[in-house]
Amino acid sequence: MELFLNLAAILNLLFMIFVLFFERKEDSRRWAWVLVLYFLPVVGILLYILLSGHFFTKTKQLTRIFHFFDGLTRQFFQEHADFLKIFYQALDNPLLEEYKSLIKMNLEGNKSILALTSSTQIYCWGQDLFKDMLQDMEAATKSIYVESFIIHHDATGQAVMDVLCRKAQQGVEVKLLYDDVGSILTKKSFFHQLTKAGGQVQAFFPVKWRLPLSINFRNHRKITIIDGKIGYMGGVNIGDEYANCSKGKKPLWRDTHIRLTGSVVLALHTTFLMDWFTTPAWHTRLKKTEDIAKHFSTETIQLLQQQFSETKEAMEKNTFKPGGIPTQIITAGPDDLCSTEIQDALIRIIMEAKQYIYIQTPYFTPNQEFFKVLKLAALSGVDVRIMVPDQWDKFYVREAAYQFIWEMLEFGIKFYHYKGFIHSKTLVSDDKICTIGSTNIDIRSFDLHFEANAIFYDKNLACQCKEIFEKDMENSRQTSSQWFRSKPLLRRLLWPFFKMFSPLM
């Protein structure tokens, strides 16, 4: 027994040394893990292996899929990059000229093409979203692809499932991808309905009890693609609480989702296929790239190539004008070379701001880089406003966020607490640029989750997002330093304690 304890102590010490000297994340995250290892010896080691993000190994399938798509699209991306060099000079669009460095960064670092969005519809309420999305699904004639972090077996989830089953029985290609941890409370029998109807269902990175190293890397994206022509994305999962029809007393759930058409749907289509064909590695063994190619129907490959061509054609015909919105779909995840592409894009937008930055997020525990850029923007005279929930769904995240908020108030940043639970993930700046997606302002979204955001370079859409924010302000209370100082001392002492562990939340 004594020998075991000594070995455990040595192992724990080695892990602490590893974290201190080899952990490449920011200092706050390193020290948080050191504290966990110190106060929870051995248990802390298990938590570090499962949750730190250093023990995620790319599957061979993931690598093969990446190379397959890279081979399929490499020539286009090079042509696209070359075309953009002369595109800005030929096109009379000051807004694109202003943000060309951001566009280039997203293209080079994330392979995010500057695509065309033909039409948009923003949804602020889940119930309105599901009404339209179900109608679009009912009208599908070729394919329906659905990807969601959470799918509940309730009235809303069953309504979506019923449509998917019905369309699958009609011969429509239906694929449903859900996150294995996000939907852990949903019984597998619920998804078997679609399988029996002729559709296909997969769990993203299923967590195996023998090797649960992927438990921390979850697919937080919410994407729907219908017939390859209509796309939905944003913050809304599938369930009654997101549609504000839950049984029992629940806080008002405010979210943001968007419906898209145009060549931009290609990026969503590609993201879904990457996620879909990565997942089978956990239960099948495809040994060659050719085997992966066989899993793509000829029609799907042709659709990808067609939509790539449509994007280039739209640029050549100079159709980026009122009625056509230049858009980039940014994705990020632990499988990427740099897992912070979305965070980097948001930081770049904030750096470019001259007048204002409005942000909505359900969780607010930013890392050092994001904290600093918001601080510098506010000190530079930019009107920085951030909206968070008044009724939080996780108390420990709330307590950590309160310390961040209190500190940021001193720099002139304004915070608004939405009366209810706001799950929206949006940013708008200077009536010129906005982004809608699945990314929260926290380290988990920035560094660990698979996320997707759309960046729109358009004054009209930016103004629409600004108006939505200002309308939400009417249902919010603005917080102040005095409010924080008025809280009991014991409560105030909890805030820095939880903030210390915010890198692990």
Side-chain angles (χ1 to χ4, degrees), residues 303-342:
L303 179 61
L304 286 170
Q305 295 171 335
Q306 175 187 346
Q307 290 183 301
F308 273 134
S309 299
E310 288 178 2
T311 298
K312 184 179 178 182
E313 182 180 354
M315 297 176 69
E316 291 174 337
K317 290 184 177 180
N318 198 14
T319 54
F320 284 148
K321 55 188 179 182
I325 302 174
T327 309
Q328 285 182 298
I329 301 296
I330 314 298
T331 60
D335 59 317
D336 295 332
L337 178 63
C338 172
S339 61
T340 59
E341 288 90 349
I342 294 177

Side-chain angles (χ1 to χ4, degrees), residues 237-251:
N237 290 295
I238 299 175
D240 286 350
E241 60 188 305
Y242 307 98
N244 286 300
C245 60
S246 296
K247 296 180 180 179
K249 189 175 181 180
K250 294 279 187 179

